[in-house]
Amino acid sequence: MLSVSSECSRLRLEPQTRLSDLLRVRAEPPIRPKKRLKRDKPEPLAVPDSPNETWSMDFMADQLADSRSIRTQNVLDDFNREGLCIDVDFSLPAERVVRSLNQIIEWRGQPRAIRVDNGPEYVSGTLMDKCRNPR
């Protein structure tokens, strides 16, 4: 640490200048973080009263040891958290997703609702047609 006298002589300041004055003058203006927007708390997810009321469907991605990417489609029953289907492949086109849903519906019956996130996977016209015309 430099003493006040050596710091003052190096910068050619008068001896009565204190180190705290020097630091205050040379300090940059403080950086203030941006204010966060306060959001409303989301409504808690409704827990179904019986099986087959609500299913949740989501996609996940992972990578193999040889750097190839894989995708999984997961379908869960929200009542008892039962895994109804897990499809794994390098690519999961919309036709395959619809085929998986049809197989689950034949096995378990049709749910009242399927909960999905806002991901781009659900934009497919094939999947939207399946949702509009379940049979």
Side-chain angles (χ1 to χ4, degrees):
M1 181 168 163
L2 297 172
S3 67
V4 175
S5 61
S6 65
E7 184 73 20
C8 292
S9 64
R10 198 179 92 204
L11 296 173
R12 296 184 185 191
L13 297 175
E14 298 183 42
Q16 66 268 18
T17 305
R18 296 185 310 226
L19 184 60
S20 60
D21 294 335
L22 178 68
L23 293 176
R24 188 180 70 233
V25 170
R26 296 185 74 191
E28 295 180 15
I31 298 174
R32 293 194 174 113
K34 293 182 180 180
K35 288 188 176 181
R36 292 185 179 211
L37 297 175
K38 292 189 178 182
R39 296 183 350 180
D40 296 335
K41 291 184 180 178
E43 295 180 19
L45 296 176
V47 179
D49 296 328
S50 65
N52 262 11
E53 273 190 42
T54 307
W55 294 350
S56 292
M57 185 168 69
D58 198 11
F59 289 91
M60 296 175 66
D62 203 355
Q63 196 171 30
L64 300 176
D66 62 358
S67 299
R68 292 185 296 170
S69 295
I70 60 170
R71 306 250 326 169
T72 65
Q73 174 205 0
N74 307 303
V75 182
L76 303 174
D77 189 338
D78 290 341
F79 173 70
N80 53 7
R81 304 279 194 247
E82 179 183 0
L84 303 177
C85 174
I86 301 175
D87 280 339
V88 180
D89 205 345
F90 296 108
S91 173
L92 291 170
E95 292 82 14
R96 176 139 179 210
V97 172
V98 170
R99 186 174 66 222
S100 293
L101 286 175
N102 285 336
Q103 288 174 349
I104 300 170
I105 289 171
E106 287 176 17
W107 172 52
R108 294 279 302 247
Q110 188 169 346
R112 290 187 190 173
I114 298 178
R115 181 181 296 144
V116 296
D117 59 7
N118 291 330
E121 301 94 356
Y122 304 112
V123 180
S124 165
T126 307
L127 190 58
M128 297 302 255
D129 290 343
K130 166 65 180 161
C131 293
R132 288 187 189 111
N133 306 317
R135 294 288 171 195

